[in-house]
Amino acid sequence: MNETILDALQYYGAAAATVAALIVSLNLGRRITGWAFVLFVTSSIALIAWGFLSEDSEGIGFQNIALLGINIVGVWRYLFSKHKPRD
């Protein structure tokens, strides 16, 4: 696999997760938090791809499969669910 693509996946995944975590930590409201989870989803997808396409990085790939599921729940809960999150 092309090293440039692998580097782009790795660094996008790390940067997107960092920005998403910052947004969630700021507690800026339900809709913005939901979009932060969308950003987490894209981060997980990038890191899954990087993890399985890079040599000796499968652990990150497997971890991000689990995180992808968690992040999808976050998207559903904050952007689609009609129930208000508990404090």
Side-chain angles (χ1 to χ4, degrees):
M1 174 59 66
N2 183 326
E3 279 300 311
T4 302
I5 293 171
L6 291 175
D7 285 346
L9 288 169
Q10 178 184 14
Y11 287 107
Y12 172 79
T18 302
V19 170
L22 174 64
I23 293 168
V24 170
S25 73
L26 292 173
N27 194 22
L28 299 172
R30 183 180 177 115
R31 188 157 185 81
I32 294 173
T33 298
W35 283 105
F37 275 106
V38 171
L39 191 55
F40 270 133
V41 166
T42 67
S43 168
S44 291
I45 291 168
L47 290 172
I48 289 167
W50 174 74
F52 289 110
L53 295 173
S54 290
E55 219 172 286
D56 299 324
S57 300
E58 295 87 7
I60 294 296
F62 284 116
Q63 177 187 29
N64 276 277
I65 289 171
L67 291 173
L68 177 61
I70 293 166
N71 295 329
I72 289 171
V73 170
V75 169
W76 175 81
R77 182 175 182 203
Y78 285 92
L79 291 181
F80 298 110
S81 175
K82 301 298 179 199
H83 293 90
K84 292 186 179 188
R86 287 177 257 160
D87 289 330

